DNA sequence: CCCTCAAGCAGGAACCATTCCTGTTTGAGG
DNA sequence: CCTCAAACAGGAATGGTTCCTGCTTGAGGG
């Protein structure tokens, strides 16, 4: 799905749940959409303050928690690194650069199918997290 | 690789690096080997105190950090859940039960090959993290 | 067999990203 | 224009992990 489409589906998701699309929330969604590096709460906060100087870090966290709760975004936790947020909730690989911290997407043509795992193991799957850690092509050309 | 084999390779790894296999470290490794649920530092600490009542939580953390540093074990960080430790550093899927917190292994017969991703993206891969979140067969029979 | 000293340890303080709390603001609906 | 619940800003609290300090241990040299 394209980023602009995902953005609209997030906004739609908020409305469908009877939640308000306030300027603060709009700013957070906008940044999540524009910043392809899977930004952290602090990064989003700093970017949001440029268009909306009075926004607080609490509100950014609250908005991210809200979006996460309604499964409109994905929260990724790391070791020794702030949490990062992924606007794409579809199953895909994230390539995490240990040098610059950027996280890019990698759409695998033949991903592992949860259904197959469920059949084999009896484990009921809700979410999938697929990650490669390493060095991106920009950092090691 | 079998658990007993992995245990020996951890012990061997310590010796190869000129590190001491103290009773405290031995206890931590032993528990990591025995407990298939990918235990947390606190869980390891509590189990270690049964055979070695004077061991401190600091030492458990230090030992885990040491093993991690030398890539003999794997640290897994989660949202709203303590870090967990995986004695198996090979690429495999972890099935994480959101109800009981247990983490089991799933050896995929056809995993995604890092080499393929590297060739396609130019991203140099060091580590792989593959996880399914859901409910295990014990919790939802 | 004892001494030395660096590695390792126990206990507790400090850290800091995230969550929680409280009083204030906002704006949709009446 | 009023009302009131939702949302917000600012700041305090939380807690798993890391850091710090002084003490212990045991391998290796004399
Ligand atoms: Mn992504
Ligand atoms: Mn595992
Ligand atoms: Zn990079
Ligand atoms: Zn379970």
């Amino acid at each position: 799905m394209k980023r602009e489409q995902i953005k609209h589906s997030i906004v739609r998701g908020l409305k469908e749940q009877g939640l308000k699309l306030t300027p603060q929330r709009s700013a957070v969604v906008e940044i999540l959409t524009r910043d392809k590096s899977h930004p952290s709460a602090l990064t989003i906060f700093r970017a949001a303050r440029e268009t909306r100087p009075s926004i607080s870090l609490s509100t950014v966290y609250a908005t991210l928690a809200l979006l996460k709760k309604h499964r409109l975004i994905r929260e990724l936790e790391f070791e020794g690194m702030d949490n990062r947020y992924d606007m794409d909730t579809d199953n895909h690989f994230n390539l995490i650069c240990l040098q610059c911290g950027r996280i890019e997407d990698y759409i695998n043509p033949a991903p592992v199918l949860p259904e197959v795992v469920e059949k084999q193991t009896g484990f009921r799957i809700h979410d999938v997290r697929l990650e490669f850690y390493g060095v991106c092509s920009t950092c090691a050309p």
Side-chain angles (χ1 to χ4, degrees), chain A:
Chain A
M1 218 198 264
K2 269 200 125 288
R3 301 186 78 79
E4 201 59 26
Q5 286 181 293
I6 294 175
K7 178 178 166 186
H8 285 125
S9 78
I10 292 174
V11 171
R12 193 182 332 118
L14 280 177
K15 287 187 179 157
E16 279 171 4
Q17 304 292 330
L19 300 164
K20 293 175 185 167
L21 182 65
T22 64
Q24 289 91 337
R25 288 175 182 176
S26 182
V28 170
V29 172
E30 176 62 32
I31 291 154
L32 268 172
T33 308
R34 204 177 26 228
D35 186 340
K36 292 185 172 130
S37 72
H38 302 64
S40 68
L42 191 59
T43 301
I44 293 168
F45 169 61
R46 284 203 263 252
R49 261 207 306 206
E50 287 179 13
T51 60
R52 182 146 260 283
S54 72
I55 194 173
S56 74
L57 184 55
S58 297
T59 297
V60 172
Y61 271 111
T63 301
L64 293 170
L66 188 78
L67 295 174
K68 179 179 69 167
K69 182 183 168 193
H70 292 276
R71 305 185 143 253
L72 300 169
I73 64 170
R74 197 72 168 292
E75 186 178 63
L76 306 172
E77 222 178 56
F78 299 100
E79 164 199 346
M81 203 194 242
D82 293 7
N83 289 1
R84 306 287 283 268
Y85 296 88
D86 196 334
M87 68 177 300
D88 188 353
T89 56
D90 286 352
N91 293 344
H92 65 278
F93 281 85
N94 285 313
L95 310 183
I96 298 143
C97 180
L98 299 167
Q99 208 152 315
C100 70
R102 258 197 295 273
I103 302 178
E104 18 173 333
D105 293 327
Y106 169 65
I107 309 301
N108 191 302
V112 180
L113 295 178
E115 300 80 32
V116 176
V117 181
E118 288 196 336
K119 219 169 246 176
Q120 287 186 6
T121 64
F123 192 92
R124 198 96 53 85
I125 293 170
H126 293 193
D127 277 322
V128 182
R129 183 170 171 179
L130 308 169
E131 294 171 350
F132 289 114
Y133 294 82
V135 183
C136 74
S137 50
T138 307
C139 287

